[in-house]
Amino acid sequence: MSNSKKFEKGKVDFSTSEHTIVLQNTYLNPVVKITANDNQNIHVSNIQSNQFKIKKTGNDNIIIHYIVIEGGS
């Protein structure tokens, strides 16, 4: 088995109040980090093995950058 860690990163132009991000990989214990180009409250929820949801409080379009890695057990 390879020692390399599974991870992925992406960017979403987020205009609606809620968005589901579908991941390319499947994770046993996903760890999600997000950053945004605007100072709005962002909530990450429903983290599953192949997707997660993000919600925002403001009405403005923002760009979300995310990184997902396989976490330890």
Side-chain angles (χ1 to χ4, degrees):
M1 179 174 280
S2 172
N3 287 336
S4 64
K5 292 268 188 173
K6 190 181 341 182
F7 81 96
E8 64 189 87
K9 59 184 176 177
K11 177 175 140 180
V12 176
D13 189 356
F14 191 22
S15 59
T16 60
S17 63
E18 182 177 298
H19 186 75
T20 299
I21 296 175
V22 178
L23 303 171
Q24 295 176 353
N25 295 309
T26 301
Y27 299 87
L28 295 176
N29 188 19
V31 176
V32 178
K33 166 134 174 94
I34 63 168
T35 58
N37 70 329
D38 193 9
N39 191 17
Q40 291 188 42
N41 289 328
I42 307 295
H43 179 72
V44 178
S45 65
N46 199 23
I47 299 172
Q48 298 180 16
S49 62
N50 64 347
Q51 68 180 20
F52 63 94
K53 289 187 180 183
I54 52 175
K55 295 180 184 179
K56 65 177 180 157
T57 57
N59 293 327
D60 295 337
N61 284 6
I62 59 174
I63 296 177
I64 301 289
H65 294 271
Y66 65 89
I67 297 175
V68 180
I69 62 169
E70 184 67 73
S73 50

